[in-house]
Amino acid sequence: MKFKSITGTKDILPPESSKWHLVEEKLRSIFEAYNYSEIRTPLFEETALFARGIGQNTDIVGKEMYTFQDKGGDSLTLRPEMTASVIRSFIQHNIGNDSPLSKFYYIGPVFRQERPQAGRFRQFHQFGIEALGSQHPSIDAEIISVAVDVYNAFEVLDYELKINSIGCPVCRTSYKEILKSELMKVIDRLTAESQKRVELNPLRVLDSKDERDREATQNAPLLLNYLCQECSDHFEKVKNFLDELEVKYTVDGRIVRGLDYYTKTAFEVITKSLGSQDALAGGGRYDLLTEELGGKPTFGIGFASGMERLMLMLEKSENKIFSEPTKSVFIVSVDDFSRPKSLKFANMLRRDGISADMDFNSRSVKAQFREANRKNARIVIVVSKDDYDRGELTLKNMTTGEQAIVKITALTEEINKI
Ligand code: HAM
């Protein structure tokens, strides 16, 4: 019997896994430059954390969570996103007591039972940031600018930033009633999915991608025009900060987001390059979430991006971070005498911080060179008895094709010069 990976999951194999390392490394350096520190939370949590945090009437909680009962009878769920887990951890460890503003970043797998298609997986990876403790619009602008900085840093320019304000319970409650009554007038023209939403989650009808819904709701009222004074002022200031930072955005009153915890600022980074899975990143403010999950009232805002979608964008753009060659060495042994010496040199280089590999199958010199090419080695060292007896080795620069005899004692030094 042959086992296969589960539908919607995938193996990240070499050399792709090396690309993931490079991308993750760059992400960490961007987040750390903004003074965000890494938080790592468990892959599973109590089901109720997500049900409460994300909202019962969302697609994620309603039909996409991997929920199971463990042997003790507890209902557990593989995390479908990171924000709820970060808040749980923030509350549990009283992190808010240590500093007025806590800044976290994360990179890791999340799980949603969605219909798999290009750019949509059941186990995928999110990277993102959360800032807890400030209601000031400057932090909204910082979060949004980190999101776009990521794509700029990777030279992914084919994206658009859309921002919106989805208000607070004060303005949203009265607006929902107005929206519902307008949607009732066109309910026959809506898709079955949107018809179901009119009662429970009418705002989501507005961000439906279906043409029928789009057409039927063309003239629907937008929350942006019904914001209370506080939400409206906040949104104006966020825009001013973004202008100051020269971050380009469009205001889109239909950005609603698929998670219930948002208040005020909501935003998405979308692209036209990935077909129907056009969302690269999404985020927003969630000022009521910490209290909802049992903590002290704490303002919060953040975003998360899909790692696989970023990788797809990078594949298209042949990004140059992947073409920078690493200084890897392959050691070719000419005869049986050389093999133990090669292993000794490999270990010596590894201890000097240079990646080194060799043949472990007694293959011919030609086959060893082929292997070196396959492994993209930049440098090949050839070890033979004659050279060794003279205290020397042959060093070949695989990029230029140049070859030189070097002293064994100066090996690391010579490699570092390349
Ligand atoms: P989200 O919009 O549900 O937000 O997901 C964020 C990103 O994850 C999406 O923009 C997309 O790139 C990626 N993504 C979502 N589903 C899939 C999938 N099935 N396959 C591949 N990629 C996917 C959140 O999760 C919020 N926690 C974001 C946030 C953080 N809000 C505030 N802080």
Side-chain angles (χ1 to χ4, degrees):
M1 168 169 184
K2 274 193 188 156
F3 293 106
K4 276 185 166 168
S5 57
I6 307 292
T7 310
T9 69
K10 66 172 194 155
D11 299 314
I12 302 166
L13 305 172
E16 202 197 342
S17 49
S18 308
K19 294 185 177 178
W20 278 62
H21 282 173
L22 289 170
V23 172
E24 284 166 1
E25 208 176 297
K26 192 155 178 150
L27 288 170
R28 286 174 199 285
S29 77
I30 296 171
F31 297 149
E32 279 161 19
Y34 280 89
N35 205 23
Y36 287 74
S37 306
E38 187 177 19
I39 181 165
R40 297 190 194 193
T41 60
L43 292 190
F44 55 94
E45 302 268 0
E46 270 178 68
T47 301
L49 171 71
F50 301 117
R52 266 189 100 150
I54 300 167
Q56 289 289 357
N57 295 324
T58 59
D59 286 348
I60 296 179
V61 174
K63 52 186 186 193
E64 294 170 1
M65 293 204 303
Y66 282 98
T67 295
F68 59 97
Q69 228 178 35
D70 75 356
K71 297 218 164 48
D74 293 323
S75 178
L76 305 177
T77 292
L78 298 184
R79 61 185 186 195
E81 58 115 43
M82 307 277 226
T83 312
S85 304
V86 171
I87 304 300
R88 193 267 310 135
S89 176
F90 174 83
I91 299 168
Q92 182 177 341
H93 303 288
N94 295 313
I95 297 174
N97 293 349
D98 304 338
S99 134
L101 183 67
S102 309
K103 290 170 145 191
F104 301 109
Y105 79 83
Y106 47 77
I107 306 177
V110 291
F111 308 85
R112 294 184 192 174
Q113 192 162 2
E114 292 193 80
R115 200 165 43 80
Q117 59 182 78
R120 189 159 75 192
F121 303 93
R122 290 183 166 174
Q123 174 172 333
F124 58 102
H125 297 75
Q126 281 189 340
F127 57 88
I129 59 174
E130 313 288 346
L132 297 165
S134 169
Q135 65 173 323
H136 199 271
S138 54
I139 194 77
D140 302 46
E142 172 167 290
I143 295 276
I144 294 172
S145 72
V146 178
V148 296
D149 257 15
V150 165
Y151 296 98
N152 294 341
F154 285 104
E155 291 173 33
V156 170
L157 303 175
D158 180 16
Y159 72 80
E160 202 185 333
L161 166 66
K162 295 190 166 183
I163 63 168
N164 190 21
S165 173
I166 53 170
C168 64
V170 176
C171 38
R172 209 183 304 159
T173 314
S174 51
Y175 163 77
K176 261 188 189 169
E177 290 312 311
I178 299 169
L179 178 63
K180 252 191 234 173
S181 74
E182 287 302 313
L183 291 176
M184 286 311 287
K185 291 181 192 161
V186 295
I187 193 146
D188 295 339
R189 290 162 55 200
L190 297 175
T191 55
E193 188 71 9
S194 287
Q195 286 182 1
K196 272 189 254 157
R197 283 184 169 144
V198 171
E199 207 34 59
L200 292 171
N201 207 346
L203 267 79
R204 283 303 305 262
V205 178
L206 295 181
D207 79 350
S208 161
K209 298 222 163 64
D210 195 291
E211 264 315 307
R212 275 171 60 196
D213 292 328
R214 292 247 152 195
E215 212 180 295
T217 60
Q218 255 186 81
N219 300 316
L222 297 178
L223 179 46
L224 208 48
N225 302 320
Y226 292 82
L227 294 177
C228 62
Q229 198 57 48
E230 189 196 322
C231 290
S232 168
D233 288 348
H234 184 87
F235 193 51
E236 281 311 305
K237 286 181 188 149
V238 172
K239 287 190 286 181
N240 291 342
F241 274 105
L242 289 176
D243 292 337
E244 191 65 39
L245 293 171
E246 296 179 25
V247 171
K248 290 199 183 65
Y249 57 84
T250 45
V251 175
D252 183 342
R254 285 175 182 261
I255 297 286
V256 173
R257 310 280 303 124
L259 304 95
D260 277 355
Y261 47 61
Y262 293 109
T263 48
K264 294 183 178 162
T265 312
F267 67 95
E268 282 180 359
V269 180
I270 56 152
T271 179
K272 292 202 171 70
S273 305
L274 293 185
S276 62
Q277 298 312 305
D278 64 352
L280 291 178
R285 194 167 260 291
Y286 46 82
D287 289 342
L288 305 173
L289 182 59
T290 307
E291 198 176 359
E292 177 67 33
L293 295 179
K296 290 189 211 133
T298 308
F299 301 106
I301 178 162
F303 82 88
S305 292
M307 185 77 176
E308 285 75 5
R309 293 188 190 173
L310 171 61
M311 298 305 286
L312 283 170
M313 296 297 282
L314 296 184
E315 257 169 46
K316 286 179 194 295
S317 68
E318 301 252 324
N319 198 277
K320 71 169 182 281
I321 67 161
F322 298 144
S323 49
E324 280 162 22
T326 48
K327 202 172 258 188
S328 60
V329 172
F330 193 88
I331 306 181
V332 169
S333 314
V334 170
D335 43 43
D336 282 341
F337 168 88
S338 314
R339 281 176 215 287
K341 311 292 175 214
S342 296
L343 191 54
K344 193 172 73 178
F345 293 140
N347 280 353
M348 190 183 91
L349 293 176
R350 291 160 179 167
R351 283 178 201 127
D352 285 343
I354 296 166
S355 166
D357 206 351
M358 59 177 276
D359 168 57
F360 290 97
N361 288 313
S362 296
R363 279 179 294 185
S364 68
V365 169
K366 205 168 153 195
Q368 292 181 59
F369 265 97
R370 264 203 309 272
E371 179 73 4
N373 272 325
R374 218 179 5 250
K375 294 209 151 108
N376 275 332
R378 260 186 82 193
I379 297 155
V380 167
I381 294 167
V382 184
V383 187
S384 69
K385 184 170 187 321
D386 290 351
D387 281 353
Y388 186 85
D389 287 344
R390 287 195 300 275
E392 290 171 346
L393 295 163
T394 302
L395 202 148
K396 182 166 181 185
N397 180 335
M398 298 296 275
T399 320
T400 61
E402 278 166 37
Q403 204 163 298
I405 304 283
V406 299
K407 288 265 167 262
I408 291 174
T409 46
L411 183 60
T412 301
E413 203 184 314
E414 292 295 332
I415 288 172
N416 281 335
K417 279 189 203 158
I418 293 176

